[in-house]
Amino acid sequence: MTLPEVRPGQIWADNDRRSKGRTLRVEAVSARHAQCVVLTSATPGGRTGHTVRILLERMKPMSNGYRLLTDDETSGTPSEGGGAA
């Protein structure tokens, strides 16, 4: 399986069952982390719009990782394998 490169503008979904429904937009990428803004919360009325930092090694489609939904926020084009888990 080829893992997608993490780039600013991409939309990712949290695969952790405790955070089902949470989505993030990548704002910046460093050598080890992706800085992301939370777009949707896992809980009704939960906090959105804040920034989180995630290790790049977690940005892969595993049970406690993340899956790529769109390559950039303007295209809205689903990525390969970016469907619901």
Side-chain angles (χ1 to χ4, degrees):
M1 165 173 53
T2 303
L3 297 176
E5 178 184 349
V6 179
R7 295 186 313 265
Q10 292 174 326
I11 307 294
W12 290 74
D14 196 332
N15 279 345
D16 192 315
R17 62 184 170 87
R18 298 167 296 181
S19 299
K20 185 176 181 174
R22 183 170 101 146
T23 59
L24 312 158
R25 181 182 59 240
V26 178
E27 296 292 313
V29 179
S30 69
R32 294 197 62 216
H33 296 92
Q35 184 174 329
C36 305
V37 172
V38 176
L39 299 177
T40 56
S41 173
T43 58
R47 218 173 80 163
T48 60
H50 62 284
T51 302
V52 295
R53 194 173 70 156
I54 300 167
L55 280 169
L56 291 176
E57 63 194 42
R58 291 198 57 219
M59 303 294 274
K60 55 188 171 187
M62 56 188 190
S63 65
N64 65 345
Y66 296 83
R67 69 184 182 282
L68 181 62
L69 295 180
T70 61
D71 260 336
D72 67 70
E73 74 175 301
T74 57
S75 74
T77 306
S79 68
E80 186 175 317

